[in-house]
Amino acid sequence: MNLFRGSAYSNLLSVAERAPLSIAKTHSLLVPLLQGWRVPLQEFNADELNRALGRVDPARCTLAYAQIAIDCVMLCRTSEHAELAAQAVRRLAGEGQLQQFLEYPAMLQRLADALGRIGEPGLACSLLADVAESLIAQMAADRISTEQDAEQRLGRNSGVRLTPVHIECARQCVLARSLALHQRVASQVLSVALDGLGSLVGGQRGRAFMEYNYYAGMVFAALSEADAALRAWQRVFALPARHVSAISIAAYKRRALLHVARHGTKPKLPPFFASAHARTIEGHAAAYVALVDVCCPAGVASLAPAVAKVTEMRNVLQNDENAGLARHLLHELPAHYIRRCGSVYASLHVERLAELIGFSTHPLAATRGREAVDVVGALVRYIRDMNDPGVALDESAMGVVVRFMPVRATVSSLPNSALLGGGGAGAERQWMEAVQMKVAEATALRGRLEELDRHLALTKEYAVGSRDKTLSNSA
């Protein structure tokens, strides 16, 4: 006798509540039902769904409960419906068992797809984060319990595998544009190290890994965590692929903008990346390659070409949704141009520095309506905001002078073990880095002196002084 006759979920419930059956036997009966599953309801029926959810224990029969929760998400049309669906997903996250998902990994993809279509990125991201955090905790716990030396294993590997829920969580986080969600997802989901590049629960491994790191980079970039974002976008190119994907092209564009903003140098693809793929990507991102070339000249240069190139690319940047990164690039670019001046000059009057780097063309010094902006004052404020120990401002009656001071590695900054002759390879490496920095300082100083000699040779005062000295000697 079927106790659930009349219920839309009678078949599912009859299997889920067979207490005498083992979990393995229950799954052998459930999986065929779930593989050809069709939502048995034509519209959202709160009573029917509540009864079905109440009769299934999510800890004992996670797959059955997950399918009913997914149906709630798929059928909801109002805020009341969404609240019931959210409660079901949160209970699944709190009480569901990962081992049962591994019996049928497609359920994780089904859950991610359903929440991705809910229409409210903030709610979807919150629910996906609940599930992802639960999966991460269970995967880490399972790895610890199966290892003889748990502490040593944790140091090498987290035991966490990538799932479709992780990917959709990162994507919805980007769409939600919520600082609180960005912070939560970044710290609780994206910052957890994965077990391996190809370790994935269900789905296509290569595309999933690229997609996950692409969205992760966007979340980190939104939080101004540039280094984490660059690492994530670098991992997009970590797995070999037969073809170039739109994901890798989009990641290349974003990474190019952020790398120049962060380091002031041209980004490079990994050395193992196929050269044919690299040429294809650079061909599709030709405008970005040209922008990077303009923004990273050799030696002292003017900002004018870079500003003009960004202005020229305005429509391209907006279509690629990279206008925000371009604005960040423009804001950070003067700092790199100022530091480059330090490789030639020991000091400069701020007016001369503004002229050398073409600061008057930068948006920070642009004319606001009919009001003229004080270019020198804007540059002084910018240098103060840089807070760079290698660039200092000296104010006197003669004006403001910018002094370039190399950041030195002093003996006091090295570890005591290195001073005492111990410390092994780590101390030796630090000493080598200090020596290399000293050599670089000496080379830079020699270049500055040569440049100053050439500059002084052209001045009237230097010429007069040399002539007087010659006449006095001859007398």
Side-chain angles (χ1 to χ4, degrees), residues 274-338:
S275 57
H277 291 352
R279 288 193 296 270
T280 302
I281 290 174
E282 291 172 353
H284 283 86
Y288 290 82
V289 173
L291 175 61
V292 169
D293 289 339
V294 171
C295 291
C296 301
V300 179
S302 171
L303 288 163
V307 174
K309 187 63 178 177
V310 172
T311 304
E312 176 191 329
M313 287 180 59
R314 182 177 300 159
N315 292 335
V316 174
L317 293 165
Q318 289 177 347
N319 292 336
D320 292 340
E321 297 184 355
N322 288 334
L325 281 173
R327 287 192 295 271
H328 177 65
L329 167 63
L330 277 181
H331 184 271
E332 297 298 318
L333 207 55
H336 300 298
Y337 280 57
I338 291 169

Side-chain angles (χ1 to χ4, degrees), residues 109-157:
Q109 185 67 61
R110 195 176 294 179
L111 176 62
D113 291 343
L115 289 172
R117 291 195 293 265
I118 201 171
E120 297 182 30
L123 176 61
C125 178
S126 177
L127 296 175
L128 286 161
D130 289 338
V131 178
E133 289 169 12
S134 176
L135 291 173
I136 289 170
Q138 291 188 49
M139 282 188 271
D142 287 348
R143 175 55 58 90
I144 293 171
S145 65
T146 57
E147 292 292 335
Q148 293 180 353
D149 189 352
E151 184 176 355
Q152 181 182 1
R153 183 63 179 178
L154 273 176
R156 296 181 309 179
N157 236 328

Side-chain angles (χ1 to χ4, degrees), residues 32-102:
L33 280 176
L34 296 174
Q35 285 176 336
W37 184 260
R38 292 184 179 180
V39 182
L41 299 174
Q42 298 297 320
E43 58 183 16
F44 195 96
N45 187 324
D47 294 335
E48 183 71 32
L49 292 167
N50 265 322
R51 281 196 299 269
L53 290 168
R55 289 174 178 173
V56 180
D57 180 4
R60 187 180 182 282
C61 200
T62 302
L63 293 180
Y65 189 90
Q67 185 58 68
I68 301 170
I70 290 170
D71 290 352
C72 288
V73 174
M74 298 291 289
L75 293 169
C76 68
R77 295 292 182 271
T78 67
S79 57
E80 291 80 6
H81 298 167
E83 181 60 30
L84 175 59
Q87 291 176 3
V89 174
R90 290 191 181 105
R91 189 181 176 199
L92 173 66
E95 302 177 30
Q97 296 299 310
L98 168 67
Q99 297 87 346
Q100 299 184 38
F101 277 121
L102 297 180

